[in-house]
Amino acid sequence: MFAVFCKSLFFHLGWWLASLWPGRHEGAPLGLRRLIFLLLGYPAFLALQSIHWIGFLLDEIFFSAYRRVEIETPVFIVGIPRSGTTFLHRTLATVEGYTSLNTWEALLAPSITERKLIRFLAALDRAIGAPSQRLIHWAFRKGSSDFNAIHEVGLEAPEEDYLTLLPVGHCFILSLAFPFSKKLSDLAQLDQLPENERRAIVQFYKRCLQKHLYCHPGKRLLSKNAAFSSWTADLQAAFPKAKFLVSIREPDTALSSQLSSLAPARQLFGADPDGQHTAARFTQHYAHAYQNLAQFVEDSDLGQVAVIAQSELKQSPARTIRTALEKTGLAIPAGLEALQPSPSSKHHHQPDGHSTDHEKIKHCMRPAYEAMLRSR
């Protein structure tokens, strides 16, 4: 574990120091907003990651039994980003017997030690009227207000557990802060990395899931990560009995929605002011994601994978989810039929509003998308 810590520290400090070189990196000009992020925001982030590593160390001393936790038949919701994965995840997360990482668990307490400490402090806070809890929730709502129209966030809400990879520097979201890093960009195409590197990343991720189930015994893991479009084969190898729900969306609107949704993050990190660098990178990532998912669906055994079209999920959520669950042999939750068609999204975007490679959409993404539609 010490070697992993040293390597992750090397990654994080390397990205930070490299960012301070003025004008050196495409997509990350050193303006005032970025300086504020680098000199105030990122050091605070690194301090939090250091606390996580202390928690990981204490886990190995006091809670090493987590390593014996079996992850039986997990359910992975993967797919094209901005294709309804969050709605699907939060719908199934309400089903008794499932457990997903909440935002506070993924970001603030990936270790067992941290969770136990936070729950102890929360109990003391509740005993005096919960003033700290109210303050934390207020601050979190204020800080996340720009993202709520795009992806509703909340400390108690089920969230993407790939955030547990932040301490080791293998979480793709970091590429928005450091768009010049090839290592971070490559996480969107994990299947292209050397096998030993892929195995190490997936093994750390598996340990994080075991720690979560250690804290939630007797539950079935429900995971949602749209960033895992290129991780499916490795996840299947690590969890041979896993079930996969693959959510897809028409390529033009999916990519447009993604690029539009990244604007607040680019502003927060002071990166890629005009969005051109991000558009080029994500067009490439999306092309790979569509093709990889189409191949994964084709190669997977019947009953292990179900494809869900976002257009159908919006119009007939109950029927669409029921069909997918039946295909994968998963239990149908009570109250599913009460789901209503989704209201119009508050997130507005124009497919032609970004500089994307339309030939790549036409010749790479659309054929893969149509192949997955036919496979249902």
Side-chain angles (χ1 to χ4, degrees):
M1 189 176 72
F2 180 72
V4 178
F5 165 73
C6 291
K7 186 179 292 187
S8 68
L9 184 63
F10 173 80
F11 290 153
H12 282 294
L13 290 179
W15 296 322
W16 182 72
L17 290 172
S19 295
L20 294 173
W21 193 301
R24 180 178 179 181
H25 303 296
E26 181 184 4
L30 197 60
L32 177 60
R33 185 180 292 272
R34 185 155 181 83
L35 270 175
I36 292 173
F37 161 68
L38 291 172
L39 298 180
L40 297 179
Y42 202 63
F45 170 81
L46 290 181
L48 177 61
Q49 306 317 303
S50 300
I51 293 172
H52 294 335
W53 277 105
I54 294 173
F56 293 153
L57 174 62
L58 294 176
D59 284 352
E60 299 302 322
I61 297 173
F62 298 108
F63 306 108
S64 60
Y66 82 85
R67 290 174 171 264
R68 297 193 293 274
V69 172
E70 295 291 335
I71 305 177
E72 294 287 349
T73 325
V75 177
F76 290 102
I77 298 172
V78 295
I80 300 301
R82 308 300 300 162
S83 67
T85 53
T86 297
F87 173 79
L88 182 60
H89 179 213
R90 294 185 177 178
T91 297
L92 294 180
T94 63
V95 177
E96 186 177 355
Y98 282 123
T99 179
S100 293
L101 271 79
N102 294 333
T103 303
W104 75 268
E105 292 173 319
L107 283 177
L108 304 178
S111 74
I112 300 169
T113 303
E114 288 172 298
R115 292 193 194 184
K116 289 185 176 293
L117 177 60
I118 288 175
R119 284 173 176 156
F120 172 72
L121 294 176
L124 293 180
D125 184 55
R126 286 194 298 271
I128 58 173
S132 299
Q133 183 183 47
R134 290 196 297 272
L135 178 61
I136 291 170
H137 280 277
W138 174 84
F140 190 81
R141 286 196 302 271
K142 285 291 185 181
S144 60
S145 58
D146 289 343
F147 296 90
N148 274 317
I150 300 166
H151 175 95
E152 187 176 348
V153 293
L155 284 174
E156 300 290 343
E159 193 48 87
E160 300 194 353
D161 55 40
Y162 83 142
L163 294 171
T164 58
L165 295 168
L166 284 170
V168 289
H170 288 313
C171 183
F172 177 69
I173 197 172
L174 288 170
S175 69
L176 298 175
F178 305 106
F180 55 81
S181 171
K182 185 178 184 302
K183 176 173 286 293
L184 289 171
S185 185
D186 285 348
L187 292 174
Q189 300 178 187
L190 187 79
D191 55 313
Q192 303 298 303
L193 296 181
E195 183 180 355
N196 62 331
E197 190 171 350
R198 299 200 315 270
R199 190 184 305 115
I201 295 171
V202 173
Q203 179 63 23
F204 181 84
Y205 173 64
K206 183 176 181 179
R207 292 296 190 203
C208 291
L209 299 184
Q210 288 177 302
K211 292 179 183 184
H212 179 71
L213 290 179
Y214 180 91
C215 296
H216 299 272
K219 299 287 188 178
R220 183 178 195 169
L221 180 75
L222 175 68
S223 167
K224 189 275 284 194
N225 294 286
F228 280 2
S229 297
S230 64
W231 293 50
T232 46
D234 289 281
L235 290 175
Q236 197 174 53
F239 307 98
K241 296 181 180 180
K243 305 288 185 176
F244 292 85
L245 302 179
V246 180
S247 188
I248 60 174
R249 183 178 181 178
E250 191 279 326
D252 286 282
T253 56
L255 182 55
S256 171
S257 180
Q258 175 73 99
L259 294 175
S260 176
S261 71
L262 294 176
R266 289 192 293 104
Q267 185 178 32
L268 174 66
F269 300 132
D272 196 17
D274 62 8
Q276 299 302 306
H277 184 78
T278 302
R281 282 193 304 134
F282 274 78
T283 299
Q284 176 63 37
H285 294 333
Y286 262 59
H288 187 82
Y290 274 99
Q291 292 177 313
N292 189 81
L293 286 173
Q295 191 64 54
F296 173 71
V297 170
E298 181 180 342
D299 294 343
S300 296
D301 294 335
L302 188 68
Q304 190 173 26
V305 175
V307 175
I308 296 173
Q310 189 240 21
S311 57
E312 296 177 359
L313 185 63
K314 290 182 67 175
Q315 295 172 3
S316 306
R319 183 182 66 188
T320 303
I321 294 175
R322 173 182 287 275
T323 300
L325 296 181
E326 288 175 345
K327 184 172 182 179
T328 50
L330 295 170
I332 309 299
L336 180 64
E337 302 305 324
L339 284 178
Q340 298 297 314
S342 300
S344 298
S345 173
K346 298 178 182 178
H347 177 215
H348 302 292
H349 57 95
Q350 294 294 330
D352 294 329
H354 306 279
S355 298
T356 54
D357 186 340
H358 293 286
E359 287 300 306
K360 188 160 287 186
I361 293 174
K362 179 179 178 181
H363 297 295
C364 296
M365 302 184 206
R366 189 167 297 282
Y369 169 70
E370 293 172 351
M372 286 187 280
L373 285 179
R374 292 192 296 270
S375 73
R376 292 173 302 151

